[in-house]
Amino acid sequence: MKSDIILGGVGGQGILSIAAAIGLAALKNNLHLKQSEVHGMSQRGGDVQSHLRISSKPIASDLIPKGKADLIISVEPMEGLRYLPFLSNDGWLVTNITPFNNITDYPNIDDIMKQIKAFPNHIAIDADTIAKAAGSSRSSNIVMLGAASPFIDIPYEKLEEGIRQLFGKKGEELVNTNLKALKAGREFTEKNR
Amino acid sequence: MEKLLLLGDEAIAQGAIDGGMSGIYAYPGTPSTEIMEFVHGSKIAEELNIHRLWSTNEKTAMESALGMSYAGKRSMVCFKHVGLNVAADAFVNASITGVNGGVIVVSADDPSMHSSQNEQDSRFYAKFTLIPILEPSNQQEAYDMAYYGFELSEMLNVPVMLRITTRLAHSRAGVQRKDMKKQNQLRLPSDPRQFVLLPAIARKNYKKLLGMQPAMEVESEKSPFNQYIDGANKKLGIIAAGLAFNYLMENYDNGKNPNPILKLSQYPLPEKQVAKLYNECDSILVLEDGAPLIEEMLKGFLNLGKPIHGRLDGAVPRDGELNPNIVAKALGMEIHEGQDVPDVVKNRPPSLCQGCGHSDVFLALNEVLLEYGAGRVFSDIGCYTLAALPPYNSINSCVDMGASITMAIGAADAGLVPAVSVIGDSTFTHSGMTGLLDAVNKNSPITVIISDNSTTGMTGGQTSAAHGRIYDICKGIGVDPEHLKILTPLKKNHEENVKILREELSYNGLSVLIPTRECIQTFARRKRSEKGESNE
């Protein structure tokens, strides 16, 4: 198997927690993994991305070639579109619909949604509202992971284990909130794909 | 042992810890920062009492590392590529002194300038200093090279450069650890004058360094990091240095290469292997992340030999980092990109955080400067450099650490009065203090604003070398206390701060203002950890 995933968002939105959860799950499945991150200047409110590659075979490049990604997970609607050149023809775009507006020329959200909906394989999810309903607005990234989970070639239980490990130190309550968030995201995709 | 999931930076740190390092010296700078941070977080490093405090700048770091080497122990020094410029005096001379305990100099280059003001290639420094370079292609090699680099350094009697680039520094993969080596015992150099670079001794040492070159080449020839991988199609031979090897292999399904490849990760260049590739193939493609160092060497000034392709003939773009697509193009392969980025997508440059103290400083400064006209603000390297962008558009220079004060001096000397410097607290202690002494000595008509957020913000909030002591330092350097003031950059103090700035800008001499307010990021992190909550 192989899953080449691009995570997109804005510096400070915490996309690396999604990457960490998938990474831990991949390790539990004895898969090879490479994950390229953006540190430094862009973390101050700029666009940030992470290339996450999981495979049963050794992985060469830390970067995903253009046109080869299986999945884009974006925690912000405009940011998902930024990485379309990386997505393969049958790849999926899974994106949050809540804009993060920290620039003066942020486009009209309707124009963004039109572009997202024009893309055949897309899931557009209101992760913030769903996260709140699941118990914590701060777990919206895990809702996004849940929404993307049907497109990642890792058993769902392994993702759950990854979340347990990621949040385990911070208490059972936080683990359960995030497991609920993961499930809610997954159910949304199952209903809407 | 179970594999660890480590960034390239972290793999270097773990490799150095396991390789018997006694001390690490560094100044934060993207993409090198996480090496030291990993050692800070390491329980083993704590148990072994490995020295791991941040240095004031890269030069003090390099010198301290050399001092530890003098005393017989193994040391590592880490910085970003432009940090090597700061450390260069010590770095270059360290190849003449040689080492006692092994020294690894990690220089993290940033091709494509993700977080830097240039994309200089550190390998050139190592080349003219005549020392070996280790350039990992993956995280495991990063670990192995740090682990093995100390021995190489001790065997060859020179510091060894470990050169990485941003992508490897900030990419994670599984790493297998090796058995831990013991640290060296305290042991003085056998020759008590080895480190005394008086001309007569330096000349002797330099000849020794020159004489050591064949031994370095032998090490490169037999290095496990360099690999000659044969291929049937001899029309083209490929040299792939460091990370470029991965981008190359990404383009071959199932890892099978049609052309002969020299995977290159240890320098000086292994002459025999390069010659074999050159002799057996009709032409050569050089893939290297950074400047065309190998390509130039192969090509020579007159370019009389076989065709050499790479950055110089346009097979690969002359600037910027490599990626799998660029390499595919150089191989003449077809690329199937996804859809274009829709026009609706706008650029999202980084910006000062909401509530950042620097922003209050610039809003006040902008207001006062309306009275003088634009074009007189010299700034520096740090978060506040972002004031070059809208909505502030406040600054007119960002060149190197400390240049804000000294460039303002020069501009004022030329008649641009008043000239303003804006520098952060960490950058001020890194390289601003000496410039301030210049300004004091000639009472330059400049206003220096040391925007003190009590941390090294841009790189993620490392200790600032003179936390809480900036005022005293300025006073000690000789700034007139009448024109040395601390402000609190908050919205509610705006009018008062504007008034003080106006007064000091109109003073025909040196003023130093120190707006002081903790970085909003470190503040928030501190509050969260006090409350013990986090979802990150």
Side-chain angles (χ1 to χ4, degrees):
Chain A
M1 66 75 60
K2 112 181 155 68
S3 282
D4 281 339
I5 307 167
I6 293 199
L7 296 147
V10 181
Q13 283 193 303
I15 59 167
L16 295 182
S17 63
I18 303 178
I22 302 173
L24 289 169
L27 281 189
K28 287 191 184 304
N29 258 14
N30 291 319
L31 295 170
H32 294 274
L33 176 136
K34 278 198 175 177
Q35 182 205 330
S36 166
E37 305 171 1
V38 170
H39 295 207
M41 202 168 211
S42 289
Q43 283 179 301
R44 301 274 162 269
D47 54 88
V48 290
Q49 53 169 313
S50 172
H51 288 210
L52 180 59
R53 315 192 73 185
I54 306 162
S55 176
S56 46
K57 290 186 205 150
I59 302 161
S61 169
D62 297 79
L63 294 174
I64 299 169
K66 284 186 178 165
K68 295 281 179 70
D70 304 295
L71 174 65
I72 294 173
I73 306 175
S74 180
V75 299
E76 205 276 351
M78 184 176 79
E79 292 308 322
L81 297 173
R82 197 183 297 282
Y83 305 107
L84 286 184
F86 285 93
L87 200 56
S88 71
N89 288 334
D90 50 0
W92 279 81
L93 169 64
V94 179
T95 181
N96 190 8
I97 61 167
T98 311
F100 188 99
N101 189 344
N102 65 341
I103 50 174
T104 49
D105 57 347
Y106 194 90
N108 187 315
I109 183 68
D110 295 337
D111 294 339
I112 294 175
M113 291 311 296
K114 212 191 285 171
Q115 289 291 340
I116 291 171
K117 285 179 181 153
F119 198 78
N121 295 342
H122 79 270
I123 299 289
I125 176 170
D126 184 351
D128 298 66
T129 303
I130 291 175
K132 211 175 273 174
S136 166
S137 56
R138 294 175 72 176
S139 57
S140 73
N141 282 356
I142 303 303
V143 173
M144 290 307 305
L145 173 57
S149 63
F151 311 115
I152 305 172
D153 210 353
I154 294 179
Y156 183 71
E157 310 79 61
K158 297 286 175 189
L159 286 175
E160 288 184 318
E161 279 178 41
I163 293 212
R164 276 196 198 96
Q165 195 178 336
L166 191 60
F167 296 107
K169 274 190 206 147
K170 292 163 184 167
E172 194 57 24
E173 200 186 321
L174 198 61
V175 170
N176 287 332
T177 307
N178 281 297
L179 287 176
K180 256 170 86 182
L182 184 77
K183 188 152 170 267
R186 187 174 177 98
E187 282 170 358
F188 180 91
T189 294
E190 279 167 351
K191 268 185 228 149
N192 292 283
R193 68 186 285 188
Chain B
M1 255 187 280
E2 200 187 334
K3 274 193 177 181
L4 301 172
L5 189 57
L6 298 178
L7 294 175
D9 275 351
E10 296 171 342
I12 290 172
Q14 186 69 60
I17 292 169
D18 295 347
M21 172 175 75
S22 297
I24 177 167
Y25 299 86
Y27 182 82
T30 312
S32 71
T33 314
E34 293 80 0
I35 305 171
M36 175 67 108
E37 291 201 317
F38 185 86
V39 181
H40 280 168
S42 158
K43 281 208 181 90
I44 310 169
E46 196 180 336
E47 279 163 25
L48 296 175
N49 199 24
I50 293 174
H51 175 90
R52 56 192 185 285
L53 294 177
W54 289 108
S55 300
T56 303
N57 67 32
E58 293 86 353
K59 179 169 179 283
T60 67
M62 180 73 221
E63 291 156 349
S64 303
L66 192 62
M68 182 165 272
S69 164
Y70 171 90
K73 298 198 179 181
R74 293 176 168 182
S75 62
M76 176 174 268
V77 49
C78 314
F79 33 64
K80 67 184 295 176
H81 58 334
V82 287
L84 178 52
N85 299 336
V86 177
D89 201 0
F91 171 79
V92 173
N93 291 319
S95 77
I96 314 289
T97 60
V99 303
N100 188 19
V103 177
I104 299 176
V105 180
V106 185
S107 191
D109 291 354
D110 189 18
S112 282
M113 304 178 232
H114 299 281
S115 286
S116 305
Q117 64 271 47
N118 77 29
E119 62 171 26
Q120 68 185 55
D121 188 326
S122 297
R123 293 176 302 165
F124 284 90
Y125 267 102
K127 185 167 180 290
F128 84 77
T129 343
L130 304 169
I131 64 169
I133 308 167
L134 300 170
E135 188 186 10
S137 68
N138 58 40
Q139 292 77 354
Q140 184 65 53
E141 278 190 347
Y143 173 92
D144 293 344
M145 286 173 173
Y147 184 83
Y148 149 83
F150 294 118
E151 268 169 41
L152 185 68
S153 167
E154 284 163 10
M155 178 172 51
L156 298 169
N157 186 36
V158 284
V160 168
M161 175 181 281
L162 179 46
R163 187 249 186 180
I164 53 168
T165 54
T166 307
R167 289 301 165 186
L168 182 61
H170 291 163
S171 176
R172 245 172 248 284
V175 170
Q176 188 70 58
R177 281 179 66 190
K178 299 185 191 318
D179 293 336
M180 286 193 64
K181 289 185 201 165
K182 277 212 173 107
Q183 293 183 29
N184 289 354
Q185 296 292 315
L186 186 68
R187 176 176 52 88
L188 291 178
S190 52
D191 172 5
R193 299 203 302 175
Q194 179 191 337
F195 286 78
V196 185
L197 293 187
L198 277 170
I201 302 169
R203 280 192 287 268
K204 207 179 76 197
N205 281 8
Y206 186 50
K207 277 197 199 304
K208 216 163 120 190
L209 173 65
L210 292 170
M212 200 50 103
Q213 296 305 303
M216 292 182 195
E217 274 173 40
V218 168
E219 288 308 309
S220 289
E221 293 287 1
K222 64 180 197 200
S223 167
F225 304 122
N226 293 335
Q227 242 182 314
Y228 193 97
I229 308 162
D230 212 356
N233 182 349
K234 314 277 185 192
K235 281 197 176 128
L236 182 74
I238 304 168
I239 295 182
L243 207 50
F245 178 70
N246 296 351
Y247 298 143
L248 175 65
M249 296 315 283
E250 179 71 28
N251 286 294
Y252 298 133
D253 290 338
N254 299 320
K256 291 215 173 72
N257 55 297
N259 303 89
I261 298 171
L262 175 54
K263 172 197 175 293
L264 197 98
S265 284
Q266 181 167 340
Y267 309 67
L269 291 184
E271 195 185 322
K272 284 183 197 147
Q273 291 170 54
V274 173
K276 177 176 156 77
L277 191 77
Y278 186 88
N279 291 335
E280 288 186 4
C281 299
D282 300 340
S283 62
I284 303 287
L285 171 66
V286 184
L287 301 170
E288 46 193 331
D289 217 0
L293 176 131
I294 300 172
E295 190 183 346
E296 266 178 6
M297 287 173 75
L298 257 58
K299 209 164 193 165
F301 184 66
L302 295 176
N303 192 16
L304 298 175
K306 293 176 180 176
I308 309 288
H309 305 295
R311 291 189 185 269
L312 293 172
D313 75 340
V316 178
R318 180 63 182 79
D319 62 337
E321 69 175 331
L322 298 176
N323 63 42
N325 296 98
I326 286 174
V327 172
K329 239 177 247 172
L331 293 170
M333 291 178 170
E334 236 180 289
I335 300 163
H336 303 282
E337 289 193 11
Q339 290 188 11
D340 290 341
V341 181
D343 293 336
V344 69
V345 176
K346 301 288 181 233
N347 286 336
R348 198 192 295 263
S351 54
L352 290 175
C353 305
Q354 285 275 322
C356 170
H358 295 315
S359 69
D360 291 298
V361 172
F362 286 112
L363 291 175
L365 182 63
N366 281 357
E367 193 172 319
V368 177
L369 282 177
L370 286 175
E371 296 153 27
Y372 291 96
R376 54 183 75 239
V377 181
F378 301 89
S379 193
D380 230 296
I381 314 283
C383 284
Y384 44 91
T385 316
L386 295 171
L389 307 173
Y392 307 98
N393 303 309
S394 302
I395 66 166
N396 307 107
S397 81
C398 155
V399 180
D400 67 82
M401 300 282 283
S404 58
I405 298 176
T406 31
M407 281 182 72
I409 292 173
D413 289 345
L416 187 70
V417 178
V420 181
S421 322
V422 184
I423 185 169
D425 48 317
S426 180
T427 307
F428 174 69
T429 48
H430 176 290
S431 284
M433 297 189 294
T434 44
L436 186 62
L437 183 57
D438 279 348
V440 165
N441 288 346
K442 23 191 201 175
N443 196 25
S444 295
I446 66 172
T447 300
V448 177
I449 299 172
I450 305 173
S451 195
D452 183 355
N453 63 357
S454 312
T455 191
T456 312
M458 182 62 93
T459 45
Q462 295 76 26
T463 318
S464 182
H467 177 46
R469 286 175 287 152
I470 301 290
Y471 182 91
D472 290 341
I473 288 172
C474 294
K475 212 169 132 191
I477 287 173
V479 178
D480 178 356
E482 294 244 326
H483 297 282
L484 175 60
K485 292 169 186 166
I486 294 177
L487 325 176
T488 306
L490 280 168
K491 228 179 221 160
K492 62 175 185 182
N493 298 339
H494 180 75
E495 292 310 322
E496 190 192 335
N497 290 341
V498 165
K499 187 170 157 272
I500 296 171
L501 268 165
R502 183 175 289 128
E503 279 166 15
E504 296 306 331
L505 275 162
S506 68
Y507 168 60
N508 192 31
L510 172 66
S511 304
V512 177
L513 301 176
I514 312 171
T516 306
R517 178 151 73 80
E518 186 181 357
C519 163
I520 199 94
Q521 296 286 347
T522 55
F523 175 80
R525 209 178 307 151
R526 197 159 51 79
K527 287 289 160 199
R528 273 204 302 274
S529 76
E530 278 168 20
K531 275 203 228 157
E533 62 162 89
S534 173
N535 199 23
E536 281 159 25

